[in-house]
Amino acid sequence: MRLEDKIALITGAGSGIGKETALVFAKEGATVVVNDLNEEAGNQTVTEIEANGGNAVFIQADVTDPTDVEKLAKTIIDKLGKIDVLFNNAGISGVGQLHEIEPEQWNKVMNVNVNGVYLVSKYVVPYMMKQKYGSIINMSSCIAEIGLADRAVYAATKGAVLALTKSMQVDYAKYNIRVNALMPGTIYTPFVEDYVSKSANPDATVASIKQRQLSSELGKPEDVAYAALYLASDESKFMMGTPFMIDGGVVNGKLT
Ligand code: NAD
């Protein structure tokens, strides 16, 4: 199995991409630490992993709360002895043009999407440095590479995560820690379902999403989960500081 004997922490693993990745990692032999703010959703992920014969534990923590996050990292070390893989996946959306966004909303999206990556990494990295091993996967987005309407704060957070990924990689390479970023396009998860259902014309919204990509389908959580699996495993040992696109051709393809 591709992640045999590995301990993997996935933040925001109660839903969408994080949940699917937790299921895939467990199937490949990892013991998965399922983190989420939402206790019920996190426990449901663990139940599904155990039903498939895998190993997982749920630890509730808010990735924006330093006390929660320090405790999260320490609990994993106390109970499981190491953290091989950290997938900084938890994130929230933010819709609107810059002038429409109130400071409170701006700060909230920044807090979860950027500070969350900083904080969880801050408390996990020292253990990885000590064990001289680790793979960190940061959730960016293909939006970090392109301009997309109505996503000012969200794009700013994902650009920050990509820049942070490269900087972290330089600092921690000497500890045998790899740091890479995932750059998904539109992946049909509750996160996108919510955005589509609240739009004025949901069918037109889905059609316009499809129009900007080469694939005729929207992405699925498993499309990103398998990219995360590759980055988590030692198969990707020569990938360092890389933005890894899984976007149905949004960034690198042009239809006409
Ligand atoms: P989702 O809403 O389905 O799942 C996100 C999970 O994160 C939820 O279970 C939520 O409870 C949890 N979470 C939110 N805030 C948290 C916090 N403060 N602490 C701990 N957990 C918290 O979303 P998704 O679509 O699976 O997105 C996951 C990640 O992928 C996000 O970072 C998102 O920005 C990124 N992403 C998504 C898409 C997409 O199209 N779905 C595309 C590119 C990037």
Side-chain angles (χ1 to χ4, degrees):
M1 288 197 279
R2 294 165 74 184
L3 297 181
E4 199 150 10
D5 299 326
K6 302 251 193 264
I7 309 291
L9 165 60
I10 305 177
T11 67
S15 173
I17 296 168
K19 178 177 184 175
E20 187 63 30
T21 306
L23 289 163
V24 167
F25 280 16
K27 240 182 241 164
E28 290 296 336
T31 296
V32 182
V33 180
V34 171
N35 157 260
D36 209 284
L37 200 52
N38 182 330
E39 188 176 3
E40 199 186 333
N43 278 323
Q44 178 59 29
T45 303
V46 171
T47 302
E48 289 179 35
I49 288 173
E50 288 175 344
N52 292 336
N55 292 321
V57 290
F58 171 64
I59 304 180
Q60 188 182 30
D62 179 343
V63 297
T64 68
D65 181 330
T67 310
D68 269 16
V69 170
E70 185 173 15
K71 203 167 133 208
L72 167 68
K74 190 170 179 310
T75 305
I76 300 169
I77 296 298
D78 290 348
K79 285 196 174 156
L80 301 168
K82 60 176 184 159
I83 306 173
D84 298 300
V85 177
L86 164 60
F87 182 13
N88 281 311
N89 165 75
I92 58 173
S93 68
V95 178
Q97 299 179 21
L98 182 142
H99 70 279
E100 299 163 339
I101 301 170
E102 295 305 326
E104 194 190 24
Q105 189 198 356
W106 179 276
N107 291 336
K108 188 176 170 199
V109 182
M110 278 287 174
N111 202 19
V112 179
N113 293 7
V114 182
N115 297 4
V117 174
Y118 150 66
L119 276 177
V120 181
S121 303
K122 173 177 169 55
Y123 289 107
V124 167
V125 161
Y127 295 116
M128 289 184 167
M129 288 166 74
K130 221 178 275 172
Q131 70 200 22
K132 290 220 160 10
Y133 181 86
S135 175
I136 299 176
I137 304 161
N138 289 335
M139 182 56 95
S140 179
S141 163
C142 77
I143 205 170
E145 299 278 0
I146 51 167
L148 192 62
D150 294 322
R151 299 290 193 292
V153 65
Y154 184 71
T157 65
K158 295 305 182 182
V161 169
L162 179 57
L164 178 62
T165 298
K166 294 174 186 176
S167 183
M168 287 170 71
Q169 180 61 91
V170 172
D171 290 339
Y172 301 125
K174 55 183 170 291
Y175 299 98
N176 193 30
I177 298 171
R178 296 184 300 110
V179 191
N180 292 290
L182 289 175
M183 316 286 285
T186 304
I187 310 296
Y188 209 66
T189 66
F191 182 96
V192 170
E193 275 174 58
D194 184 55
Y195 164 72
V196 168
S197 67
K198 284 183 185 149
S199 66
N201 182 343
D203 287 344
T205 304
V206 170
S208 87
I209 293 170
K210 286 186 179 169
Q211 215 172 23
R212 61 179 181 242
Q213 56 183 42
L214 296 179
S215 172
S216 58
E217 301 291 328
L218 294 187
K220 297 189 173 63
E222 73 217 34
D223 296 322
V224 184
Y226 284 111
L229 171 62
Y230 175 59
L231 291 179
S233 81
D234 297 331
E235 294 159 12
S236 61
K237 65 185 187 307
F238 210 51
M239 282 185 79
M240 302 179 86
T242 302
F244 196 2
M245 292 286 169
I246 323 107
D247 69 346
V250 172
V251 172
N252 291 310
K254 268 211 184 294
L255 280 172
T256 52

